Amino acid sequence: MSQKRKELKKCMKRLDALQKELAKQKTCRKLKFYMDQLRELQREVDRRQPCRTGFPVNESLMLPHPIKLCEYTISFGQLDNCGRELLEDALNARCFAYAPYSNFKVGAAFRSKGGKVFTGCNVENAALTPGCCAERTAMLKGISEGCRAFSAGAVVAYHPSGFTTPCGVCRQFMNEFAKLDVPIYIAQAPESSAPVPMFEDDAEVLVTSVYHLLPHAFTL
């Protein structure tokens, strides 16, 4: 009987040792999981921060190679008021698009340095070249009223493959009237046919900049 008790004690010790080893392994796995999560969060934070050059962002034009603002995506609900308002204005402007040939409607909104918002939509023409993109329509409206510099812009369109970014001509046009660090918000228009279109809070938004859209712009 005493022999069996000794064997039982040995088995209990082994079992206890195995349980401790298993607990250590679980702890290691949990620790690794949390470390991976922290690294992912750090990467996300780094991705959303402007590159650090030692110069304020608004001095970027004085640099031989302007500061590169990071491009990133964010949900509509997480945007600041400036971004949300511009996107909503661009979405409303899209309703007035004249696109009988392509049926591809685009809306844009640009805020002047004084805070006034100018909106525009794309206007097509049977001869193609006389047409005008939404971005230039909005900026031309502001320029015709004395605005010579814009502080932010937004573009809204719908394409099943993803975001619709400005064409090359519009990018060059933006470069003429906006500093390279000016943010440009780009979003997909909702597929809904509601009379008053609205963005859902979880709608994805691309935040980019004039520099990112055209890093090697033509200048004189």
Side-chain angles (χ1 to χ4, degrees), residues 92-107:
N92 291 330
R94 181 176 178 266
C95 297
F96 300 103
Y98 178 73
Y101 306 104
S102 69
N103 200 33
F104 188 73
K105 299 180 179 182
V106 185

Side-chain angles (χ1 to χ4, degrees), residues 56-117:
V57 174
N58 59 8
E59 292 182 6
S60 62
L61 285 178
M62 296 188 291
L63 300 175
H65 299 289
I67 186 171
K68 293 183 180 180
L69 299 184
C70 293
E71 275 189 331
Y72 61 90
T73 57
I74 189 173
S75 68
F76 179 78
Q78 292 178 308
L79 272 179
D80 56 18
N81 289 334
C82 171
R84 286 200 300 270
E85 288 172 4
L86 281 176
L87 283 169
E88 287 171 345
D89 288 340
L91 182 61
N92 291 330
R94 181 176 178 266
C95 297
F96 300 103
Y98 178 73
Y101 306 104
S102 69
N103 200 33
F104 188 73
K105 299 180 179 182
V106 185
F110 283 82
R111 177 176 276 110
S112 70
K113 283 203 166 183
K116 188 174 180 180
V117 175

Side-chain angles (χ1 to χ4, degrees), residues 144-155:
S144 68
E145 295 183 22
C147 175
R148 291 294 181 271
F150 297 95
S151 60
V155 182

Side-chain angles (χ1 to χ4, degrees), residues 2-18:
S2 60
Q3 185 66 27
K4 287 186 178 180
R5 283 180 180 174
K6 287 180 181 179
E7 289 179 2
L8 182 59
K9 282 184 180 181
K10 286 182 181 179
C11 289
M12 291 297 290
K13 284 182 180 179
R14 287 176 190 166
L15 181 60
D16 188 50
L18 285 171

Side-chain angles (χ1 to χ4, degrees), residues 74 76 79 83 87-88 90-91 94 106-107 154-159 162-165 184-190 199 203-207:
I74 189 173
F76 179 78
L79 272 179
L87 283 169
E88 287 171 345
L91 182 61
R94 181 176 178 266
V106 185
V155 182
V156 174
Y158 175 76
H159 194 283
F163 297 115
T164 299
T165 57
I184 305 296
Y185 305 93
I186 300 172
Q188 284 261 54
F199 287 108
E204 193 175 28
V205 177
L206 171 65
V207 182

